[in-house]
Amino acid sequence: MPQRGRPRGFDREEALRRAMVVFWTQGYDNASLADLTRSMGINAPSLYATFGSKEALFHEAVKLYVRTEGSGIWEQVETAPTARAAIAHVLRTTAEAFTRGDTSRGCMIVLAAPQMQGANAQVCDALKAHRQANGCLLERRLKRAVEEGELPASTDCRALASYFVTLQHGMSIQARDGASRETLLSIADCAMASWNALTS
């Protein structure tokens, strides 16, 4: 027999995708159980039976976001021919990803739980870890660029990586506020135009 409360024809992956959109749009704390169950087309007992808790559902939704809507931005950092090309790819792909679809939501990893105080600590820590991992990835690529002679030995790779990650996070907020793809691409172009000054 199906689990109690679970509707006939329940599609777990589709329900998870809908939950992802709720969390992405409203943030973790603002997404109520009623919002989630209504969007997912299930009731509270089904949510708990299938996903365990709201927090567990959120962590699954983040994983889904990373492999679907958030994919393609950071994956080529290590394989790009130069560090400059890697950063240009991150910023331009960010502009495209954050303005995909009818509603610009920015980045779920950046915006789903921006406030640490009074928020769910585990959720905040998980998202912080995702963000820090991207910064570390970029820093490693810049250090490799120094070793390969693309960047001078005096380059502060950590500061430079932090600068571009901060810019990418800002593009997420711009997208949430309604910035067009053209605007975000212009931001990316401005950042890359400053590359020589930043790396000299």
Side-chain angles (χ1 to χ4, degrees):
M1 293 180 63
Q3 289 190 25
R4 186 178 221 174
R6 177 176 293 185
R8 189 184 301 274
F10 175 80
D11 185 330
R12 189 184 193 282
E13 191 71 7
E14 176 61 18
L16 179 60
R17 186 192 66 77
R18 293 182 181 185
M20 177 191 74
V21 172
V22 174
F23 285 129
W24 189 4
T25 304
Q26 299 178 210
Y28 177 81
D29 289 320
N30 290 331
S32 69
L33 191 62
D35 293 330
L36 290 164
T37 54
R38 181 169 53 252
S39 178
M40 296 166 75
I42 60 176
N43 56 27
S46 287
L47 187 151
Y48 288 118
T50 305
F51 298 100
S53 66
K54 176 185 173 183
E55 183 181 326
L57 172 63
F58 178 78
H59 290 306
E60 282 205 47
V62 168
K63 291 179 182 177
L64 178 62
Y65 172 83
V66 169
R67 71 173 187 265
T68 56
E69 300 294 335
S71 67
I73 295 176
W74 297 97
E75 288 83 351
Q76 294 187 35
V77 167
E78 293 183 331
T79 58
T82 63
R84 189 185 192 285
I87 292 172
H89 172 81
V90 166
L91 297 180
R92 292 190 67 82
T93 307
T94 289
E96 294 167 2
F98 289 179
T99 54
R100 190 181 298 133
D102 296 331
T103 303
S104 296
R105 303 187 184 95
C107 175
M108 183 178 178
I109 304 298
V110 172
L111 298 172
Q115 301 297 331
M116 295 290 287
Q117 189 67 33
N120 182 294
Q122 288 72 32
V123 165
C124 290
D125 286 345
L127 295 178
K128 179 180 177 181
H130 275 286
R131 294 190 294 267
Q132 289 180 331
N134 290 335
C136 290
L137 174 67
L138 206 53
E139 184 180 351
R140 288 196 302 271
R141 185 64 186 84
L142 291 167
K143 287 180 177 178
R144 198 176 102 205
V146 171
E147 294 170 358
E148 294 172 349
E150 179 189 355
L151 296 177
S154 59
T155 301
D156 187 337
C157 295
R158 176 167 297 180
L160 193 59
S162 296
Y163 168 77
F164 282 110
V165 167
T166 300
L167 182 69
Q168 198 253 0
H169 291 173
M171 291 170 71
S172 180
I173 296 172
Q174 290 281 332
R176 173 64 64 86
D177 288 347
S180 67
R181 177 170 296 182
E182 289 72 21
T183 296
L184 296 187
L185 286 172
S186 294
I187 293 171
D189 289 342
C190 286
M192 296 317 301
S194 67
W195 174 264
N196 289 338
L198 291 168
T199 58
S200 61

Short mmCIF file of all heavy atoms in Angstrom, two decimals, residues 106-129:
data_model
loop_
_atom_site.label_atom_id
_atom_site.label_comp_id
_atom_site.label_asym_id
_atom_site.label_seq_id
_atom_site.Cartn_x
_atom_site.Cartn_y
_atom_site.Cartn_z
N GLY A 106 18.34 34.88 -9.51
CA GLY A 106 19.70 34.91 -9.02
C GLY A 106 20.17 33.52 -8.64
O GLY A 106 19.69 32.52 -9.18
N CYS A 107 21.10 33.44 -7.70
CA CYS A 107 21.70 32.16 -7.31
C CYS A 107 21.10 31.66 -6.00
O CYS A 107 21.14 32.37 -4.99
CB CYS A 107 23.20 32.33 -7.17
SG CYS A 107 24.05 30.86 -6.56
N MET A 108 20.59 30.46 -6.00
CA MET A 108 20.01 29.88 -4.80
C MET A 108 21.06 29.75 -3.69
O MET A 108 20.75 29.97 -2.51
CB MET A 108 19.43 28.50 -5.13
CG MET A 108 18.75 27.81 -3.96
SD MET A 108 18.05 26.22 -4.48
CE MET A 108 17.39 25.64 -2.93
N ILE A 109 22.30 29.43 -4.05
CA ILE A 109 23.36 29.25 -3.06
C ILE A 109 23.66 30.57 -2.35
O ILE A 109 24.00 30.60 -1.17
CB ILE A 109 24.63 28.70 -3.72
CG1 ILE A 109 24.35 27.39 -4.47
CG2 ILE A 109 25.74 28.50 -2.69
CD1 ILE A 109 23.85 26.27 -3.58
N VAL A 110 23.54 31.67 -3.06
CA VAL A 110 23.84 32.99 -2.50
C VAL A 110 22.64 33.55 -1.73
O VAL A 110 22.81 34.14 -0.65
CB VAL A 110 24.25 33.97 -3.61
CG1 VAL A 110 24.38 35.40 -3.08
CG2 VAL A 110 25.54 33.51 -4.27
N LEU A 111 21.45 33.33 -2.24
CA LEU A 111 20.29 34.07 -1.74
C LEU A 111 19.34 33.29 -0.83
O LEU A 111 18.50 33.90 -0.17
CB LEU A 111 19.48 34.60 -2.93
CG LEU A 111 20.21 35.59 -3.84
CD1 LEU A 111 19.39 35.89 -5.08
CD2 LEU A 111 20.55 36.87 -3.10
N ALA A 112 19.46 31.97 -0.76
CA ALA A 112 18.47 31.19 -0.02
C ALA A 112 18.54 31.39 1.49
O ALA A 112 17.54 31.19 2.19
CB ALA A 112 18.60 29.70 -0.35
N ALA A 113 19.70 31.77 2.02
CA ALA A 113 19.82 32.01 3.46
C ALA A 113 20.94 33.02 3.71
O ALA A 113 22.00 32.67 4.23
CB ALA A 113 20.09 30.71 4.20
N PRO A 114 20.73 34.29 3.34
CA PRO A 114 21.80 35.27 3.45
C PRO A 114 22.08 35.74 4.86
O PRO A 114 23.16 36.26 5.14
CB PRO A 114 21.30 36.43 2.58
CG PRO A 114 19.81 36.33 2.65
CD PRO A 114 19.52 34.85 2.73
N GLN A 115 21.12 35.60 5.78
CA GLN A 115 21.29 36.10 7.14
C GLN A 115 21.64 34.96 8.09
O GLN A 115 20.91 33.99 8.21
CB GLN A 115 20.00 36.78 7.62
CG GLN A 115 19.55 37.94 6.76
CD GLN A 115 20.55 39.10 6.75
OE1 GLN A 115 21.27 39.30 7.72
NE2 GLN A 115 20.59 39.84 5.67
N MET A 116 22.78 35.09 8.79
CA MET A 116 23.19 34.06 9.74
C MET A 116 22.44 34.20 11.06
O MET A 116 22.01 33.22 11.67
CB MET A 116 24.70 34.17 10.00
CG MET A 116 25.56 33.87 8.79
SD MET A 116 25.55 32.13 8.30
CE MET A 116 26.51 31.40 9.61
N GLN A 117 22.26 35.44 11.53
CA GLN A 117 21.65 35.67 12.83
C GLN A 117 20.19 35.23 12.83
O GLN A 117 19.39 35.69 12.01
CB GLN A 117 21.74 37.16 13.20
CG GLN A 117 21.35 37.49 14.63
CD GLN A 117 22.31 36.91 15.65
OE1 GLN A 117 23.49 36.80 15.38
NE2 GLN A 117 21.81 36.52 16.81
N GLY A 118 19.84 34.36 13.75
CA GLY A 118 18.45 33.93 13.88
C GLY A 118 18.01 32.92 12.84
O GLY A 118 16.85 32.51 12.83
N ALA A 119 18.91 32.51 11.95
CA ALA A 119 18.54 31.57 10.90
C ALA A 119 18.95 30.15 11.30
O ALA A 119 19.60 29.93 12.33
CB ALA A 119 19.21 31.97 9.58
N ASN A 120 18.57 29.19 10.48
CA ASN A 120 18.96 27.80 10.71
C ASN A 120 20.46 27.67 10.47
O ASN A 120 20.95 27.86 9.36
CB ASN A 120 18.17 26.90 9.75
CG ASN A 120 18.48 25.43 9.95
OD1 ASN A 120 19.58 24.98 9.71
ND2 ASN A 120 17.48 24.68 10.39
N ALA A 121 21.20 27.35 11.52
CA ALA A 121 22.66 27.33 11.44
C ALA A 121 23.17 26.29 10.45
O ALA A 121 24.14 26.54 9.72
CB ALA A 121 23.25 27.07 12.82
N GLN A 122 22.53 25.11 10.42
CA GLN A 122 23.00 24.05 9.52
C GLN A 122 22.81 24.45 8.06
O GLN A 122 23.67 24.19 7.21
CB GLN A 122 22.25 22.74 9.82
CG GLN A 122 22.65 22.06 11.11
CD GLN A 122 22.14 22.78 12.35
OE1 GLN A 122 21.06 23.40 12.31
NE2 GLN A 122 22.89 22.72 13.43
N VAL A 123 21.68 25.09 7.77
CA VAL A 123 21.43 25.55 6.40
C VAL A 123 22.44 26.62 6.01
O VAL A 123 23.03 26.57 4.92
CB VAL A 123 19.98 26.08 6.27
CG1 VAL A 123 19.81 26.89 4.99
CG2 VAL A 123 19.00 24.92 6.30
N CYS A 124 22.66 27.58 6.89
CA CYS A 124 23.62 28.65 6.60
C CYS A 124 25.02 28.09 6.40
O CYS A 124 25.74 28.51 5.48
CB CYS A 124 23.61 29.68 7.72
SG CYS A 124 22.12 30.69 7.81
N ASP A 125 25.42 27.16 7.24
CA ASP A 125 26.76 26.59 7.13
C ASP A 125 26.93 25.81 5.83
O ASP A 125 27.99 25.85 5.20
CB ASP A 125 27.03 25.66 8.32
CG ASP A 125 27.28 26.43 9.62
OD1 ASP A 125 27.52 27.65 9.54
OD2 ASP A 125 27.22 25.81 10.68
N ALA A 126 25.87 25.10 5.42
CA ALA A 126 25.95 24.32 4.18
C ALA A 126 26.11 25.24 2.97
O ALA A 126 26.93 24.97 2.08
CB ALA A 126 24.71 23.45 4.03
N LEU A 127 25.35 26.32 2.94
CA LEU A 127 25.46 27.25 1.82
C LEU A 127 26.79 27.99 1.85
O LEU A 127 27.41 28.23 0.80
CB LEU A 127 24.30 28.25 1.86
CG LEU A 127 22.91 27.64 1.63
CD1 LEU A 127 21.83 28.71 1.73
CD2 LEU A 127 22.82 26.94 0.29
N LYS A 128 27.25 28.34 3.04
CA LYS A 128 28.56 28.99 3.17
C LYS A 128 29.65 28.08 2.64
O LYS A 128 30.58 28.54 1.95
CB LYS A 128 28.80 29.33 4.64
CG LYS A 128 30.14 30.00 4.91
CD LYS A 128 30.30 30.29 6.40
CE LYS A 128 31.66 30.88 6.72
NZ LYS A 128 31.81 31.14 8.18
N ALA A 129 29.56 26.79 2.93
CA ALA A 129 30.56 25.84 2.45
C ALA A 129 30.58 25.78 0.93
O ALA A 129 31.66 25.70 0.31
CB ALA A 129 30.28 24.45 3.03
#
